[in-house]
């Protein structure tokens, strides 16, 4: 058995998990058992090391024995280069080699948080998924992962030689491709509003994209704006750039759309879900992921009824004569919010 430390490190919170990994050589599988888990406010610490030290001390006290992880993997919200990373929303600079020395862990890996989601797909069960399209699953074919949250992540998995590799991409920064007159108007609106010369798909398919779509539809008077939603937007706009944002307008808009209590929010999520499905279909066309396309990120599971309404899958499959290929792709929504932490543990076990 191997003792692992898995971490999901974000600008707001850090989640750590102590994991016991048992490799079944005869089956070629690894079983994971969570021993202890806790979360911390990232801003309360000057670095990752004191968080880990506090976590291990708590685990030792809670479980009544001394633990020293052999391997560790931390999923980081930021670009990882040569096993080092400067966090996007924290004044932390992390280096895997320094962490190995300071924590006494023989091997430490730093990976991008969405790459961790890719590894986490391998550890999910049927209960962690909502299937939108059964498709025709095929082994030894690519697996695609897309996830809208704060931004838009995309990665893919390739199987071969008894192993699985996860490859991160910057697919969320490809161009937004309008499919209708309304979406062309949205494109022109965003170009003018932000005084930019291109619009990435992330500006539309993400949490900030929900807000952008809402503002677009509001400004073109597609439906009346409610005073309650208007107040949330005003508060959010005054807090932009501050260290603490107290409201999440994307979540408020999504909730109103789920409750069918606001026509403008309804139209916003309808456009958003369609654009999300179209981009997922674009990713599927490039990879033909008959091993499955998984929808992760923080948004899909929260608006599950809207994702299941048919709008997403119609946009996904609406690819002309290529439709017959995409209808064979299994499509699943990831319901488990700890998929990134699961992925960090899997990656640590493979070190």
């Amino acid at each position: 058995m191997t003792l692992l430390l898995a971490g999901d490190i974000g600008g707001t919170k850090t989640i750590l998990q102590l994991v016991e990994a048992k490799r079944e050589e005869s089956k070629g599988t690894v079983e994971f058992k969570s021993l202890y888990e806790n979360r911390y406010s990232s801003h309360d610490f000057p670095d990752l090391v004191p968080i880990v030290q506090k976590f291990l001390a708590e685990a030792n006290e809670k479980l009544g024995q001394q633990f020293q992880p052999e391997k560790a993997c931390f999923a980081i919200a930021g670009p990882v280069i040569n096993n080092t990373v400067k966090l996007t929303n924290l004044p932390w600079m992390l280096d895997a080699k320094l962490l190995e020395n300071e924590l006494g862990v023989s091997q430490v890996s730093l990976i991008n948080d969405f790459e961790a989601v890719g590894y986490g797909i391998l550890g999910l069960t049927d209960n962690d998924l909502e299937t939108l399209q059964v498709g025709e699953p095929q082994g030894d074919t690519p697996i695609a992962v897309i996830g809208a949250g704060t931004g838009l992540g995309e990665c893919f998995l390739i199987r071969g030689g008894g192993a699985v590799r996860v490859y991160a991409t910057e697919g969320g920064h490809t161009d937004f491709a309008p499919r209708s007159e309304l979406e062309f108007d949205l494109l022109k609106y965003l170009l003018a509003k932000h005084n930019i010369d291109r619009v990435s798909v992330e500006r539309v398919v993400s949490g900030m994209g929900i807000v952008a779509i809402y503002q677009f539809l509001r400004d073109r008077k597609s439906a009346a704006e409610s005073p309650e939603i208007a107040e949330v937007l005003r508060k959010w706009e005054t807090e932009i750039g501050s260290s603490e944002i107290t409201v999440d307008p994307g979540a408020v808009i999504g909730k109103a759309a789920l409750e069918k209590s606001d026509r403008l929010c309804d139209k916003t999520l309808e456009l958003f879900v369609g654009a999300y499905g179209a981009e997922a279909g674009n990713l599927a066309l490039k990879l033909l992921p008959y091993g499955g396309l998984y929808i992760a990120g923080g948004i899909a599971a929260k608006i599950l009824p809207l994702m299941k309404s048919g709008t997403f899958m119609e946009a996904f499959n609406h690819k002309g004569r290529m439709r017959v290929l995409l209808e064979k792709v299994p499509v699943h929504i990831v319901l488990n919010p700890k998929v990134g932490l699961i992925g960090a543990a899997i990656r640590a076990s493979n070190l």
Side-chain angles (χ1 to χ4, degrees):
M1 288 183 287
T2 305
L3 195 62
L4 309 173
L5 177 61
D8 189 350
I9 318 300
T12 302
K13 65 181 182 299
T14 290
I15 306 174
L16 298 176
Q17 187 178 70
L18 195 62
V19 179
E20 188 178 73
K22 182 179 181 181
R23 189 172 295 276
E24 297 285 348
E25 297 294 347
S26 60
K27 301 178 183 177
T29 61
V30 181
E31 292 184 2
F32 297 92
K33 178 182 178 182
S34 175
L35 302 178
Y36 183 69
E37 179 183 323
N38 208 348
R39 67 175 56 204
Y40 307 87
S41 173
S42 301
H43 287 283
D44 291 344
F45 297 85
D47 191 78
L48 178 59
V49 172
I51 300 183
V52 174
Q53 292 171 336
K54 179 178 175 64
F55 170 79
L56 291 176
E58 292 172 350
N60 292 340
E61 182 179 354
K62 182 85 172 178
L63 301 177
Q65 64 182 95
Q66 294 295 309
F67 291 99
Q68 180 55 49
E70 300 171 44
K71 304 175 184 179
C73 177
F74 301 105
I76 313 290
V80 179
I81 302 172
N82 296 326
N83 233 0
T84 65
V85 60
K86 184 181 186 308
L87 272 74
T88 305
N89 297 310
L90 280 175
W92 295 3
M93 182 69 187
L94 303 180
D95 184 305
K97 287 298 180 186
L98 292 178
L99 289 171
E100 288 173 358
N101 293 332
E102 294 182 71
L103 298 175
V105 177
S106 62
Q107 290 179 286
V108 173
S109 175
L110 305 178
I111 61 176
N112 175 264
D113 55 351
F114 205 75
E115 184 180 351
V117 170
Y119 281 107
I121 296 300
L122 303 173
L124 298 179
T125 68
D126 290 344
N127 292 332
D128 295 317
L129 303 171
E130 178 72 35
T131 298
L132 298 184
Q133 179 169 277
V134 175
E136 299 177 15
Q138 297 178 25
D140 295 327
T141 57
I143 296 171
V145 189
I146 186 170
T150 303
L152 178 64
E154 297 183 5
C155 70
F156 63 97
L157 291 71
I158 299 292
R159 316 180 216 217
V164 180
R165 287 286 306 275
V166 177
Y167 296 89
T169 81
E170 291 298 339
H173 295 286
T174 56
D175 299 322
F176 169 56
R179 301 167 298 130
S180 65
E181 184 177 352
L182 181 64
E183 289 188 356
F184 272 105
D185 287 345
L186 171 61
L187 174 64
K188 290 186 285 187
Y189 173 88
L190 292 173
L191 289 170
K193 181 180 177 67
H194 298 289
N195 192 26
I196 52 180
D197 58 10
R198 69 178 291 270
V199 173
S200 69
V201 67
E202 184 178 73
R203 282 193 182 268
V204 177
V205 183
S206 63
M208 65 178 178
I210 291 175
V211 179
I213 294 169
Y214 177 91
Q215 292 170 325
F216 160 68
L217 294 174
R218 176 198 64 193
D219 293 349
R220 81 193 311 261
K221 303 192 186 309
S222 295
E225 182 176 35
S226 71
E228 294 79 12
I229 303 292
E231 177 56 32
V232 170
L233 264 291
R234 277 194 294 271
K235 184 173 179 57
W236 173 72
E237 288 167 350
T238 63
E239 293 178 344
I240 293 176
S242 66
S243 60
E244 186 174 357
I245 303 294
T246 62
V247 294
D248 183 348
V252 172
I253 293 166
K255 183 173 184 291
L258 280 173
E259 296 171 350
K260 300 294 181 184
S261 61
D262 187 287
R263 179 58 180 153
L264 187 54
C265 294
D266 287 347
K267 294 171 75 69
T268 296
L269 266 294
E270 183 179 356
L271 201 160
F272 169 81
V273 170
Y276 199 169
E279 175 59 16
N282 290 340
L283 179 61
L285 277 178
K286 293 168 184 174
L287 295 171
L288 296 181
Y290 297 125
L293 181 138
Y294 292 80
I295 307 157
I299 295 176
K302 293 177 182 176
I303 59 167
L304 191 59
L306 301 178
M307 295 291 289
K308 294 169 61 178
S309 69
T311 300
F312 182 94
M313 286 311 305
E314 176 52 36
F316 178 89
N317 287 318
H318 187 61
K319 303 298 182 185
R321 61 184 182 276
M322 296 296 106
R323 183 185 190 101
V324 66
L325 296 180
L326 292 197
E327 288 177 340
K328 296 178 181 179
V329 176
V331 180
H332 312 283
I333 294 177
V334 176
L335 304 178
N336 191 330
K338 294 184 179 179
V339 61
L341 200 60
I342 293 170
I346 290 174
R347 174 64 182 133
S349 73
N350 291 335
L351 291 174

